[in-house]
Amino acid sequence: MKKDTLLGVFKSKGRLNKEANSKYRSPFQRDRDRIIHSASFRRLKHKTQVFVNTEGDHFRTRITHSIEVAQIARSIAKYLKLNEDLAETLSLAHDLGHTPFGHAGEDALDECMENYGGFDHNLQTLRIVMFLENKYFKFAGLNLTIETLEGLLKHNGPVDDLSMVNKLIGLKTFKKKINFNTYASLEAQISAISDDIAYNNHDIQDGIKANLFKLEELVELDFFKNIYQKYKNKINKKNYKIAIYQIIRDSIDIMIRDLLSNTEKNIKKFKIKSIKDVSKSDQLIVSFSDKIENSEREIRSFLRHRMYDNKSVLNKNQRGKMIIKRLFKIIKSNPRKFLTKEQLTKDKYRAISDFISGMTDRYAINLYNGNK
């Protein structure tokens, strides 16, 4: 296969279970297609991003967020002449392991699993693609490429604590094909930072839509003050919604431009010419400038105070946590009612955790209501 990326060939290192290559799709295109056709991906449609899925048709869910991350990541990878398919694949898969009810649901399930190995949504993503999605006669899971598995595992950086990985996945399962101590590919780094760009900007948009704060209040942030000033005199009642879209578009554009510029500088500065150079690096290559990094921190702080810590959001989160804890208790007391004998053979508690984490908000609410 021809070289068509700056830092590597289209050809993959392969899969944990050997398969013949496709004549018309790259390995990473096949990974992407397997993820899109998975039941876990479809269920993201009814999983909370910030607002519980039953609240409105236009708030973001995990699936719309994942698609938005993939679109941003693909654009960045294309500009940097990297592997667009791998960046897109990682972005589409990155949230598969999330529980219902957002991070509140994750916290609740982790508390329930405290004495049984814990819960981590990133590692749960790997459990899903490696064990839980079953569509093939020859192997469990989706048998994704080594690069995709490595990117999902290390998109936040090297893995320092392998005990959790061993508990939830099993280190032997990786067949010594992944080095846990290095930074992931540039495509994985792109996917991770595209996630930040997407949720910071789109949570701002959803927060305004939910009347948690007004567009005008964004001037509290230096980053948005400059953008808002550009359109201030044009904004009126009729075009208020359009103004929100325009300001968010400008914000994403500024962040991406900064990221591309800073990443190109880093590639030159650290003499990154091959995939091996990336793995030898002791820091992220794909990153914002200090100025935009500070702006990102400001935006996260604003969202935490004005949105995530909002009383109505917290109340709904608390209800989500209560539902998860109650369901764990109900299922634990009579697991055979909900799970097959085969699922319960290896580890009863992990099977319960897999079952609950795979639920949509709607399914969890209905199951809770039906078992009060």
Side-chain angles (χ1 to χ4, degrees), residues 202-215:
H202 297 142
D203 283 2
I204 289 274
Q205 195 172 1
D206 280 357
I208 295 169
K209 197 179 290 177
N211 296 315
L212 298 181
F213 47 84
K214 290 186 169 64
L215 178 62

Side-chain angles (χ1 to χ4, degrees), residues 296-334:
E296 281 269 300
R297 276 195 287 269
E298 272 190 307
I299 293 166
R300 280 196 291 271
S301 177
F302 177 88
L303 284 167
R304 188 168 60 253
H305 294 307
R306 304 301 293 274
M307 189 173 184
Y308 311 141
D309 290 345
N310 177 275
K311 196 175 177 182
S312 67
V313 174
L314 287 175
N315 286 342
K316 287 183 176 98
N317 284 345
Q318 281 305 117
R319 177 167 166 75
K321 285 180 98 167
M322 180 271 291
I323 289 171
I324 295 273
K325 289 183 175 183
R326 178 73 184 137
L327 286 176
F328 190 88
K329 200 173 178 182
I330 291 165
I331 298 164
K332 188 172 78 165
S333 67
N334 187 10

Side-chain angles (χ1 to χ4, degrees), residues 130 145 148 192 215 254 260 264 281 341 349:
M130 293 176 77
T145 60
T148 296
L215 178 62
I254 290 165
L260 292 171
E264 284 183 317
S281 171
K341 188 179 178 181
Y349 298 105

Side-chain angles (χ1 to χ4, degrees), residues 100-129:
F101 312 118
H103 288 288
E106 179 179 3
D107 292 343
L109 190 52
D110 189 36
E111 286 171 34
C112 293
M113 289 294 290
E114 189 178 0
N115 299 320
Y116 313 112
F119 178 82
D120 176 271
H121 78 264
N122 285 326
L123 292 177
Q124 190 64 24
T125 294
L126 281 156
R127 283 187 61 76
I128 287 166
V129 300

